Amino acid sequence: MTSTAIVTDSTAYLPKEKAEKNGITVLPLHVIFDGQAFQEEVELSTEAFYEKLRTTSNMPTTSQPAPGLFIETFETLVRQYDAVIVITLSSGISGTFQTASAAGEEVEGLDVYVFDSEISCMPQGYFALEAAAMSRAGEHPETILKRLDKMKQRTRAYFIVDDLNHLHRGGRLNGAQALVGSLLQIKPILHFDDRLIVPFEKVRTEKKAWNRVLQLFDEDARSGEPVRATVIHANRPEKAEELREHLAETYPNVEVDTGWFGPVIGTHLGEGGLGIGWCRLPSESC
Ligand code: MYR
């Protein structure tokens, strides 16, 4: 039987106790303020980050984990495991996937599989949690990856930000270059398409945007299949909780939670962003 370790990066924003309980190793990305790099949620909490963001005159930037951190992690894991599955944020918005893949080539005696979640935040966390459960059950890494691929096809996330300038400045807003000037005045619904963040629909007000997102959610939630969902917020806990309660009351088949946009993702979305991510879980036989 193959023993498989599960690693993900910090942008999955897995609650610490959940990561620990499931034996998931979390490798931090960095936020850089005025030349000083902080490992997110290790050296800079999400709360402290949003406070700093409000007072800084120079906007922060972000960076992926160093290749050395992946290599060190693999060298530790090889003592205990035959294989590792690394689940990263989308390769279209960060070099983390490529760095982890290159680091995997450097280590002997450990089969390294790197899975591109093509998304981020808690929907990325779903993949890590599922992989950890399957690894505990003794499944082979290839079987785990097949299931993650199925989940990926059934995972959606839509989000709306207060100020598109953050995404634009960080170069993470795609498919809208010609429209950027006009887009910055409105509240488009954003989502991932082929690993990149693109506007899904252009809507003038936040209320209309949310009605549309809830309609999209409804289509999947009414399928009757088990759905895992997370309302994700950039320092808007009350609004997120209100939305979570609404979804939990309306859809008994949905296991719904709240999650957060931590420092690295918050750097690119700005404060006030709100989104929903969900996955229609594939049946056991998938
Ligand atoms: C890096 O520097 O490598 C990290 C770059 C992260 C870019 C983040 C862009 C925003 C992602 C939004 C995710 C929403 C998921 C529901």
Side-chain angles (χ1 to χ4, degrees):
M1 198 171 81
T2 312
S3 59
T4 309
I6 307 301
V7 172
T8 192
D9 66 67
S10 55
T11 69
Y13 302 121
L14 277 173
K16 200 165 179 265
E17 57 294 351
K18 235 183 200 170
E20 279 170 8
K21 195 172 149 215
N22 285 277
I24 299 169
T25 303
V26 177
L27 301 184
L29 279 82
H30 307 93
V31 170
I32 302 143
F33 277 100
D34 295 320
Q36 193 182 355
F38 299 88
Q39 295 187 332
E40 70 166 342
E41 300 205 302
V42 178
E43 296 166 331
L44 184 67
S45 69
T46 294
E47 209 183 1
F49 163 76
Y50 283 113
E51 225 172 280
K52 218 168 156 54
L53 193 63
R54 249 171 271 136
T55 52
T56 188
S57 40
N58 299 323
M59 284 297 146
T61 55
T62 60
S63 72
Q64 57 181 286
L69 182 62
F70 282 106
I71 294 175
E72 268 169 43
T73 306
F74 297 155
E75 281 171 349
T76 306
L77 293 173
V78 74
R79 296 185 206 137
Q80 216 186 322
Y81 295 93
D82 307 311
V84 57
I85 299 180
V86 185
I87 295 159
T88 71
L89 76 165
S90 176
S91 62
I93 58 171
S94 171
T96 305
F97 172 85
Q98 284 80 0
T99 300
S101 307
E105 306 283 318
E106 305 290 315
V107 181
E108 300 277 313
L110 185 73
D111 292 331
V112 179
Y113 300 84
V114 187
F115 179 81
D116 183 353
S117 74
E118 301 187 24
I119 203 159
S120 180
C121 302
M122 199 52 199
Q124 175 187 340
Y126 300 159
F127 298 123
L129 291 169
E130 188 73 10
M134 290 182 76
S135 154
R136 275 198 302 278
E139 298 286 2
H140 190 274
E142 304 277 358
T143 313
I144 301 177
L145 290 167
K146 265 194 198 133
R147 169 120 179 132
L148 300 190
D149 272 332
K150 285 245 159 66
M151 282 177 69
K152 197 193 276 186
Q153 290 157 25
R154 296 163 150 254
T155 299
R156 311 264 173 276
Y158 296 95
F159 49 103
I160 296 150
V161 297
D162 253 11
D163 178 359
L164 273 172
N165 277 300
H166 295 278
L167 271 173
H168 182 46
R169 193 185 44 243
R172 262 70 175 201
L173 182 62
N174 292 274
Q177 303 328 344
L179 291 169
V180 158
S182 58
L183 267 182
L184 295 179
Q185 315 306 318
I186 61 172
K187 296 228 177 267
I189 300 168
L190 303 169
H191 76 147
F192 279 85
D193 186 18
D194 194 15
R195 301 172 176 82
L196 301 172
I197 298 172
V198 297
F200 172 72
E201 270 176 26
K202 283 173 254 116
V203 183
R204 291 222 162 259
T205 66
E206 186 171 0
K207 189 160 185 274
K208 282 194 179 139
W210 274 105
N211 286 342
R212 178 68 177 123
V213 173
L214 290 175
Q215 184 190 10
L216 293 161
F217 182 80
D218 186 78
E219 285 162 18
D220 274 2
R222 288 211 186 279
S223 67
E225 292 169 305
V227 175
R228 193 175 290 166
T230 308
V231 180
I232 313 163
H233 68 93
N235 213 18
R236 286 178 80 181
E238 289 87 10
K239 183 73 195 162
E241 179 53 23
E242 190 187 303
L243 211 47
R244 187 202 67 77
E245 280 172 22
H246 166 72
L247 298 180
E249 278 162 22
T250 316
Y251 306 99
N253 58 318
V254 176
E255 178 195 318
V256 56
D257 224 330
T258 57
W260 65 97
F261 293 121
V264 166
I265 301 298
T267 296
H268 294 273
L269 297 188
E271 194 170 14
L274 195 63
I276 311 186
W278 69 88
C279 175
R280 277 186 303 118
L281 294 167
S283 65
E284 287 313 311
S285 56
C286 291

